[in-house]
Amino acid sequence: DTAVSQTPKYLVTQMGNDKSIKCEQNLGHDTMYWYKQDSKKFLKIMFSYNNKELIINETVPNRFSPKSPDKAHLNLHINSLELGDSAVYFCASSLTGTTDTQYFGPGTRLTVL
Amino acid sequence: SQQGEEDPQALSIQEGENATMNCSYKTSINNLQWYRQNSGRGLVHLILIRSNEREKHSGRLRVTLDTSKKSSSLLITASRAADTASYFCATDKGFGNEKLTFGTGTRLTIIP
């Protein structure tokens, strides 16, 4: 069974559209994350949730809105997509906090045309 | 600004040789972790070293940490083709500022 899963794996969309990426973990972890990896492979934290509570919110445009319906799920909704949003988005989870080992999903490659 | 920088950016070696990658960071840390990313995949945790540790081993991996120089190295011994991947260091500061900050990565290619 996949520990951290994301859907979809690929997402191609037009500028201005709204899209969502879903993430689920079956590890029983308390903390989940969203990262963005750009074309130069630079990986940066976007959000972190612990037991459905937002604990890290980096300087991300408010077009990005995470939602955690329960501690096993963390979804990412993006409004009014821009060209610069094209990247690979990774979901991850860890048992308690950031200092624990993080388990990453396979990534969602978002291409905005 | 980026916390960690890996050196070299890319490394190609023959299978069976040892590979060494370095990571430098700018501010005091709580823990340092190394992750591997195969092409088109998510990151996989390799090893964690705490700020009060100097060296750690896991199988063919050896990690050192020098907090006075703010640097860490990852040594992979007896490399295999399957080790071909990008390797990232990641640091956290602990104490309420626990986000993981990733380095720029080293692209390792093992030539069979």
Side-chain angles (χ1 to χ4, degrees), chain A residues 8-113:
Chain A
K9 188 165 176 61
Y10 299 97
L11 189 51
V12 181
T13 188
Q14 299 288 333
M15 243 182 357
N17 284 350
D18 303 339
K19 290 294 177 187
S20 292
I21 307 171
K22 295 186 175 181
C23 178
E24 177 180 1
Q25 54 96 2
N26 63 5
L27 297 167
H29 288 170
D30 285 345
T31 307
M32 295 185 72
Y33 313 84
W34 277 110
Y35 287 89
K36 179 181 179 180
Q37 188 173 44
D38 64 22
S39 57
K40 295 183 178 179
K41 304 293 187 187
F42 173 36
L43 193 71
K44 187 167 165 55
I45 182 81
M46 298 173 69
F47 301 102
S48 173
Y49 272 72
N50 180 276
N51 268 320
K52 303 191 297 176
E53 298 290 329
L54 180 67
I55 56 171
I56 293 175
N57 183 349
E58 287 295 282
T59 50
V60 178
N62 57 16
R63 298 183 293 106
F64 290 78
S65 53
K67 283 189 172 51
S68 183
D70 55 62
K71 75 174 194 176
H73 295 85
L74 180 62
N75 304 322
L76 183 65
H77 188 77
I78 315 170
N79 289 327
S80 303
L81 278 156
E82 300 177 356
L83 293 176
D85 298 332
S86 294
V88 182
Y89 292 84
F90 287 99
C91 177
S93 71
S94 64
L95 184 60
T96 54
T98 305
T99 55
D100 296 325
T101 296
Q102 295 192 17
Y103 293 79
F104 282 75
T108 295
R109 181 174 293 276
L110 171 65
T111 303
V112 182
L113 303 175

Side-chain angles (χ1 to χ4, degrees), chain B residues 24-41:
Chain B
S24 60
Y25 54 91
K26 295 176 183 170
T27 61
S28 296
I29 62 167
N30 185 39
N31 300 305
L32 186 144
Q33 304 183 43
W34 284 91
Y35 285 80
R36 183 187 75 228
Q37 184 179 30
N38 290 87
S39 183
R41 301 286 194 91

Side-chain angles (χ1 to χ4, degrees), chain B residues 23-95:
Chain B
C23 166
S24 60
Y25 54 91
K26 295 176 183 170
T27 61
S28 296
I29 62 167
N30 185 39
N31 300 305
L32 186 144
Q33 304 183 43
W34 284 91
Y35 285 80
R36 183 187 75 228
Q37 184 179 30
N38 290 87
S39 183
R41 301 286 194 91
L43 280 74
V44 174
H45 180 262
L46 296 176
I47 198 163
L48 180 151
I49 187 165
R50 303 190 189 285
S51 59
N52 62 355
E53 297 177 310
R54 292 295 166 257
E55 188 170 313
K56 210 159 180 182
H57 296 256
S58 176
R60 293 183 297 112
L61 306 180
R62 173 180 168 247
V63 168
T64 62
L65 179 64
D66 186 335
T67 51
S68 66
K69 293 182 179 177
K70 293 187 170 58
S71 68
S72 172
S73 67
L74 170 67
L75 168 68
I76 305 174
T77 60
S79 63
R80 304 168 182 170
D83 295 329
T84 293
S86 292
Y87 292 81
F88 295 87
C89 66
T91 57
D92 72 82
K93 296 181 185 179
F95 306 114

